[in-house]
């Protein structure tokens, strides 16, 4: 089998790239390890930057998003009972849109199906070859048979635990990592959100986040220990702990209910440099990970896809390789700024086991400065709504 771009991974990065390539007549094949139902069942991100919304519009996949997505023009940070609302619209002429990654993935798969785009699910033994030549290939097993996909380029969109990043030799790859000493216990419940905007809460008991998917589907998180397990947490225990961490006026309004999903995610910052090697290009979680505090994981995958699509379109349509040659440098320039913001939000809002009294005073002073200083609010707003591509 042959295609122009082999895409490893059928998550948001791979799916969006395949549709963008199709829009300018470039062929691709998506190779996905899981079933479509498994991928569509994942509960992950909830906040979309305008850049991602624009890309979904570009490939005609924003219809449901425009009907069901909720525009947010600000967010709330709290420290015990002290609340600070940071407006986006006071500083930046663009909102974020609350619309679950689960729905984005379903919309992308539906569009691929309508347009007859090639993909193979439940593949295994994916291996990349001849990446330093102009005729790379990918081998894989599907339905018990071995296959070889000849291509011009390989897009590694296979997430943090995929194989693509490993194809870059260790003596070429530089990896930067920070693992946080806590995780997030997340709950999805068919209850009305406690507030019409998100609340990021720093309390003496730890971080909490009040988010949502729609007016009757809420998403909540509390910081938890790395040794904790989902089964340690009954719904009642979760709700009681969440109430202790958010401002009293919000806790009093909180509508609780049975969890329909409950999971624990670890937190890490991670970047692989370079993000390309020969004819291999890494996108999204295959190349970098952020703690979800800044809502940047999915959104930085989108900016990678934008840069790679522009580079591949330059190669095939304009006959110029400038874009693909500059891909890694361009993507990393934005990635590191997103890593910084995600690290800053995480450091500001979580309680760390080794934190001193001085460290706590620094968190409090940072929030006080944020409350009093429009320039500090603008910096947060510009990062949160999304840095320019
Ligand atoms: P993905 O990991 O989504 O997709 C990679 C795909 O490649 C997967 O479908 C996988 O099955 C497939 N794959 C892996 N290895 C393969 C192989 N060898 N062969 C073929 N296919 C292979 N971001 C936020 O902004 N907010 C959040 O709250 C948030 N919560 C998260 C919770 C969890 C548990 C995780 C893991 C991530 C979370 N993220 C969050 C980040 C998340 O949204 C990612 O940024 C986003 O999924 C990135 O998309 P992809 O780059 O497509 O990677
Ligand atoms: C979510 O709704 O899942 C969500 C929102 C904002 C974040 C992280 C997660 O920063």
């Amino acid at each position: 089998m042959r295609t122009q771009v082999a895409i490893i991974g059928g998550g948001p990065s791979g799916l969006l790239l395949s549709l963008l390539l199709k829009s300018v007549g470039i062929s691709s094949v998506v190779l996905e390890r899981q079933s479509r139902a498994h991928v569509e069942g994942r509960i992950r991100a909830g906040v979309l930057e305008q850049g991602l919304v624009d890309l979904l519009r570009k490939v005609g996949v924003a219809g449901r998003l425009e009907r069901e997505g909720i525009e947010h023009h600000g967010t709330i940070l709290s420290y015990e009972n002290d609340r600070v609302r940071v407006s986006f619209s006071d500083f930046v002429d663009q909102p974020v849109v609350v619309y679950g990654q689960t729905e984005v993935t379903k919309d992308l798969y539906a569009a691929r199906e309508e347009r007859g785009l090639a993909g193979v699910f439940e593949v295994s033994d994916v291996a990349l070859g001849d990446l330093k030549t102009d005729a790379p290939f990918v081998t894989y097993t599907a339905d018990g048979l071995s296959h070889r996909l000849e291509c011009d380029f390989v897009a590694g969109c296979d997430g943090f635990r995929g194989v693509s990043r490993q194809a870059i030799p260790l003596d070429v790859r530089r990896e930067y990592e920070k693992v946080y000493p806590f995780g997030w216990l997340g709950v999805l419940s068919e209850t009305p959100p406690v507030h019409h905007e998100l609340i990021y809460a720093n309390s003496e008991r730890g971080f909490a986040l009040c988010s949502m998917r729609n007016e009757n589907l809420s998403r909540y998180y509390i910081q938890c220990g790395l040794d904790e397990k989902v089964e340690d947490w009954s719904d009642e225990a979760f709700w009681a702990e969440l109430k202790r961490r958010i401002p009293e006026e919000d806790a009093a309004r909180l509508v609780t209910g049975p969890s329909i999903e409950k999971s624990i995610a670890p937190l890490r910052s991670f970047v692989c440099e370079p993000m390309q090697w020969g004819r291999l290009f890494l996108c999204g979680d295959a190349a970098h990970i952020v703690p979800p505090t800044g809502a940047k994981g999915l959104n930085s995958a989108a900016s990678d896809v934008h840069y790679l699509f522009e580079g591949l379109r330059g190669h095939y349509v304009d006959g110029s390789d400038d874009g693909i040659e500059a891909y890694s440098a361009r993507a990393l320039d934005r990635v590191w700024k997103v890593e910084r913001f995600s690290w800053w939000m995480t450091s500001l809002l979580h309680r760390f086991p080794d934190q001193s009294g001085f460290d706590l005073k620094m968190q409090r002073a940072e929030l006080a400065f944020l409350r009093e200083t429009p320039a500090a609010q603008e910096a947060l707003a510009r990062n949160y709504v999304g840095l320019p591509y």
Side-chain angles (χ1 to χ4, degrees):
M1 187 160 60
R2 191 185 201 294
T3 190
Q4 289 172 302
V5 182
I7 298 176
I8 319 294
S13 296
L15 300 173
L16 180 56
L17 179 61
S18 71
L19 286 160
L20 284 163
L21 292 172
K22 170 74 174 176
S23 73
V24 293
I26 300 170
S27 67
S28 66
V29 174
V30 170
L31 301 176
E32 168 53 48
R33 179 168 62 183
Q34 304 288 357
S35 68
R36 172 174 171 178
H38 181 98
V39 179
E40 289 183 334
R42 289 182 184 133
I43 309 284
R44 289 197 178 164
V47 173
L48 310 187
E49 294 176 356
Q50 196 58 49
L52 173 49
V53 173
D54 292 345
L55 288 173
L56 292 168
R57 282 200 183 108
K58 190 174 198 167
V59 293
V61 179
R64 191 158 69 102
L65 160 64
E66 284 165 346
R67 290 192 302 276
E68 299 176 14
I70 309 167
E71 280 194 0
H72 277 206
H73 297 270
T75 191
I76 289 167
L77 277 62
S78 68
Y79 193 100
E80 304 300 351
N81 278 318
D82 190 10
R83 289 156 122 249
V84 179
R85 179 179 187 271
V86 176
S87 164
F88 305 148
S89 43
D90 286 358
F91 306 105
V92 199
D93 186 22
Q94 69 184 55
V96 294
V97 176
V98 170
Y99 186 75
Q101 173 175 328
T102 308
E103 307 316 313
V104 172
T105 306
K106 289 176 182 172
D107 296 343
L108 289 167
Y109 268 118
R112 280 178 45 84
E113 189 172 28
E114 283 161 24
R115 299 171 201 177
L117 291 193
V120 187
F121 288 107
E122 297 179 272
V123 302
S124 58
D125 311 318
V126 171
L128 288 56
D130 287 355
L131 293 171
K132 296 292 270 186
T133 74
D134 60 1
F137 63 87
V138 177
T139 56
Y140 62 93
T141 301
D143 299 327
L145 299 174
S146 298
H147 299 266
R148 179 180 168 112
L149 180 61
E150 309 289 345
C151 55
D152 300 332
F153 298 98
V154 180
C157 300
D158 49 348
F160 184 63
R161 304 196 187 290
V163 296
S164 299
R165 185 174 67 249
Q166 314 305 329
I168 301 179
L170 275 174
D171 63 350
V172 173
R173 221 161 70 217
R174 294 177 305 284
E175 296 187 349
Y176 304 84
E177 183 169 52
K178 180 181 183 61
V179 177
Y180 296 87
F182 40 75
W184 278 17
L185 167 61
V187 157
L188 196 63
S189 62
E190 289 171 330
T191 53
V194 71
H195 194 279
H196 68 278
E197 292 179 327
L198 271 61
I199 301 175
Y200 288 86
N202 179 334
S203 81
E204 65 176 359
R205 300 178 65 92
F207 169 81
L209 171 59
C210 302
S211 184
M212 65 200 73
R213 293 294 178 268
N214 59 49
E215 65 279 353
N216 198 43
L217 190 59
S218 296
R219 180 67 166 165
Y220 294 103
Y221 298 93
I222 58 172
Q223 170 185 346
C224 64
L226 289 175
D227 56 347
E228 296 187 55
K229 295 177 177 48
V230 172
E231 49 270 23
D232 298 341
W233 285 88
S234 67
D235 287 358
E236 294 67 29
F238 177 86
W239 294 122
E241 186 59 35
L242 178 67
K243 284 182 179 178
R244 293 188 194 102
R245 300 192 185 188
I246 60 178
E248 285 167 7
E249 64 179 289
D250 301 298
R253 274 205 308 269
L254 182 69
V255 176
T256 65
S259 60
I260 58 173
E261 191 270 350
K262 196 185 291 179
S263 55
I264 291 180
L267 271 65
R268 78 176 71 240
S269 300
F270 174 88
V271 178
C272 169
E273 290 188 351
M275 287 177 53
Q276 69 188 91
W277 190 68
R279 289 289 180 106
L280 169 67
F281 298 84
L282 303 181
C283 282
D285 280 17
H288 44 75
I289 297 286
V290 286
T293 327
K296 294 293 161 231
L298 175 60
N299 291 301
S300 50
S303 52
D304 292 348
V305 168
H306 164 78
Y307 296 135
L308 182 53
F309 167 63
E310 293 299 326
L312 291 169
R313 178 173 63 175
H315 172 83
Y316 285 110
V317 179
D318 308 332
S320 161
D321 280 355
D322 294 350
I324 53 175
E325 285 165 8
Y327 168 72
S328 180
R330 276 186 82 191
L332 283 168
D333 179 62
R334 189 177 190 274
V335 161
W336 278 113
K337 293 169 192 166
V338 165
E339 290 284 342
R340 182 208 66 81
F341 176 67
S342 305
W343 160 82
W344 178 78
M345 284 280 277
T346 303
S347 306
L348 174 63
L349 294 164
H350 290 73
R351 292 298 168 101
F352 291 71
D354 58 351
Q355 225 163 8
S356 67
F358 179 82
D359 297 331
L360 291 172
K361 287 289 187 186
M362 289 299 98
Q363 283 186 334
R364 189 129 206 165
E366 184 89 52
L367 277 159
F369 180 70
L370 192 64
R371 167 200 296 287
E372 300 155 4
T373 318
Q377 294 170 21
E378 180 174 358
L380 190 155
R382 289 189 176 283
N383 279 282
Y384 196 92
V385 302
L387 298 175
Y389 283 7

